[in-house]
Amino acid sequence: MFNFITTVRALGDENRVRILMALRLRTLCVCEITTLLGLAASTTSKHLFLLRQARLIESIKKGRWVYYRLPQNPSPSIRAALDWTMRELAESPQVAQDEAALLGITHNTNIHDFLKRKHIRIPDDEADDSDDAGTSAETAAEDNTSN
């Protein structure tokens, strides 16, 4: 019963459903989701946490960036919940508006450099050999080839 309640609770918020509908189009980083929703980063993080807890989305860490996508191998009940959500909201004006907005929202690969220049601490900022440039497009391409 816990899984059912967790899933229903996660689907019970407009912002979380907007996240799901956006993720059906492509993998998104936190900054893209925050920009799309127009919410504070902490609020967006809470929504993402609840969606992950319900197993409606999964996260991928690539270098310093965390990306979110729909689950690659969801359980039958999660697959049914996602299919129902996508089917019911496919014609929603808000979803159409979000789709149009996503065309102009891209992963900001320079944000960490900007924050460093301003002497703002970056959480989990470790030296790594990742190349953040183009990561969103690469991750989206990976998702499209795996489907």
Side-chain angles (χ1 to χ4, degrees), residues 24-41:
R24 83 187 197 292
L25 302 172
R26 69 176 204 228
T27 299
L28 298 168
C29 72
V30 177
C31 62
E32 292 170 314
I33 296 168
T34 301
T35 301
L36 175 69
L37 299 177
L39 298 174

Side-chain angles (χ1 to χ4, degrees), residues 52-71:
R52 278 185 49 222
Q53 184 181 40
R55 295 184 177 92
L56 291 165
I57 64 173
E58 57 190 23
S59 63
I60 307 149
K61 185 158 174 63
K62 197 162 189 177
R64 290 179 222 138
W65 298 97
V66 178
Y67 295 89
Y68 291 89
R69 66 182 182 195
L70 295 178

Side-chain angles (χ1 to χ4, degrees), residues 1-110:
M1 186 178 291
F2 174 78
N3 291 338
F4 175 77
I5 292 171
T6 303
T7 302
V8 171
R9 187 175 295 143
L11 291 172
D13 181 86
E14 180 180 353
N15 288 310
R16 290 193 288 272
V17 173
R18 288 176 63 197
I19 292 169
L20 290 175
M21 295 303 286
L23 291 175
R24 83 187 197 292
L25 302 172
R26 69 176 204 228
T27 299
L28 298 168
C29 72
V30 177
C31 62
E32 292 170 314
I33 296 168
T34 301
T35 301
L36 175 69
L37 299 177
L39 298 174
S42 60
T43 304
T44 301
S45 291
K46 179 66 174 177
H47 287 307
L48 292 167
F49 170 79
L50 292 170
L51 288 168
R52 278 185 49 222
Q53 184 181 40
R55 295 184 177 92
L56 291 165
I57 64 173
E58 57 190 23
S59 63
I60 307 149
K61 185 158 174 63
K62 197 162 189 177
R64 290 179 222 138
W65 298 97
V66 178
Y67 295 89
Y68 291 89
R69 66 182 182 195
L70 295 178
Q72 297 295 296
N73 298 306
S75 68
S77 60
I78 294 298
R79 170 54 48 214
L82 289 169
D83 288 345
W84 175 64
T85 302
M86 304 303 156
R87 191 174 52 252
E88 292 297 318
L89 297 176
E91 304 299 320
S92 164
Q94 180 64 61
V95 170
Q97 183 179 345
D98 288 349
E99 285 180 23
L102 272 175
L103 296 174
I105 298 173
T106 59
H107 175 80
N108 184 352
T109 58
N110 297 320

